[in-house]
Each structure stands twice: as C-alpha cells, then as structure tokens.
C-alpha cells in the first residue's frame, strides 16, 4: 500500500463515522417525535410545525387530531404536523427588578427660573425684619 493513500483512508473513515453518527441521531429524534405525536391526548397544548398553538380536543383518529386554536374554533391537523407539546409552568413569575430606579426615590428640587438680577416674590434678600418692612 502506498503511503499517500493512508491520509485518504483516514479521511474516508472519519467521514463515514460522522455520517453514521448523524444518521443515528436523526433516527432517534424521529422516533421521539413519533412517540410524542402518538401520545397526544385531549387537553394537551401543542405547537404545530407551522407555529400554530392549539389545544387537542379530539384525539380519537389514528392519523389526525382536532385542535382548538381559539374559543370555539376547531381545526383538523395531521398528527405529523405536531412539533412539540407545551409544558405549562405553574410557578408564578418573579417580578422584574428595576435596576435604574433607586430604592428610596427622593423628589428633585424644581429648577429656579432665570432672573435678570431682580429678586422675585419667592426670593428674599435679607432678614425676616427686612421682609416685614417691605410688606408694610
């Protein structure tokens, strides 16, 4: 055997190995999907391959199921169209924590209006005695 053939044989063996592992994984996934599709029962919530979400209302047929997609709207689907079963999580969602708001908010003081050097009614320029003189 020629030494230049060895790398080609190793490469071919690797390619065959990868192809075998891939086909085994695909076969296993198909078996799991068929098992899921055959185990559907009334009340199960499912997603179809087209992304539609519905609730199984009639599973008595071998090839098809009836899905309720809205209140009173029932459609018939092939079992093979079911992609996955929705698992309802009964745990209450945790409230989202606000990271931008401080724990104890304090109101900011309103901005003072710009003046042209003259005091306004809300501004005082002296003591309380001076203010009393101005108002009298």
């Amino acid at each position: 055997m020629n030494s230049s053939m060895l790398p080609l044989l190793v490469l071919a063996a690797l390619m065959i190995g990868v192809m075998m592992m891939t086909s085994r994984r695909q076969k296993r996934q198909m078996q799991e999907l068929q098992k899921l599709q055959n185990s559907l029962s009334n009340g199960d919530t499912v997603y179809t391959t087209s992304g539609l979400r519905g609730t199984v209302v009639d599973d008595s047929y071998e090839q098809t199921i009836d899905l309720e997609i809205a209140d009173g709207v029932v459609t018939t689907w092939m079992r093979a169209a079911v992609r996955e079963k929705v698992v309802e999580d009964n745990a209450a969602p945790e409230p989202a924590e606000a990271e931008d708001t401080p724990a104890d908010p304090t109101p900011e003081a309103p901005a003072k209006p710009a003046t042209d050097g003259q005091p306004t009614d809300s501004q005082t320029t002296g003591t309380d005695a001076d203010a009393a003189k101005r108002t009298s």
Side-chain angles (χ1 to χ4, degrees):
M1 190 167 7
N2 194 350
S3 64
S4 64
M5 295 282 292
L6 186 60
L8 290 176
L9 289 175
V10 170
L11 182 62
L14 286 174
M15 288 177 56
I16 290 172
V18 168
M19 288 173 35
M20 288 178 55
M21 289 174 38
T22 302
S23 68
R24 290 180 71 190
R25 182 177 51 203
Q26 288 176 341
K27 184 177 180 181
R28 190 174 344 113
Q29 287 176 341
M30 286 300 294
Q31 287 174 343
E32 289 175 8
L33 185 59
Q34 286 177 348
K35 182 179 174 184
L36 166 77
Q37 292 166 348
N38 291 330
S39 72
L40 295 174
S41 62
N42 291 345
D44 289 342
T45 303
V46 296
Y47 280 113
T48 64
T49 54
S50 61
L52 184 84
R53 180 180 170 142
T55 303
V56 178
V57 293
D58 186 5
D59 66 340
S60 61
Y61 301 104
E62 188 173 317
Q63 296 293 319
T64 62
I65 57 171
D66 289 343
L67 297 179
E68 184 176 35
I69 57 174
D71 289 337
V73 179
V74 177
T75 58
T76 303
W77 291 78
M78 297 293 296
R79 283 186 184 263
V82 174
R83 179 183 54 168
E84 67 181 275
K85 187 190 262 189
V86 177
V87 179
E88 298 292 331
D89 188 15
N90 293 333
E94 295 182 19
E97 294 184 23
E99 297 177 12
D100 295 338
T101 57
D104 186 25
T106 56
E108 295 181 17
K112 294 183 180 180
T115 60
D116 58 341
Q118 298 296 323
T120 60
D121 292 337
S122 63
Q123 294 175 329
T124 58
T125 57
T127 62
D128 288 333
D130 291 337
K133 288 182 198 174
R134 283 194 303 265
T135 58
S136 53

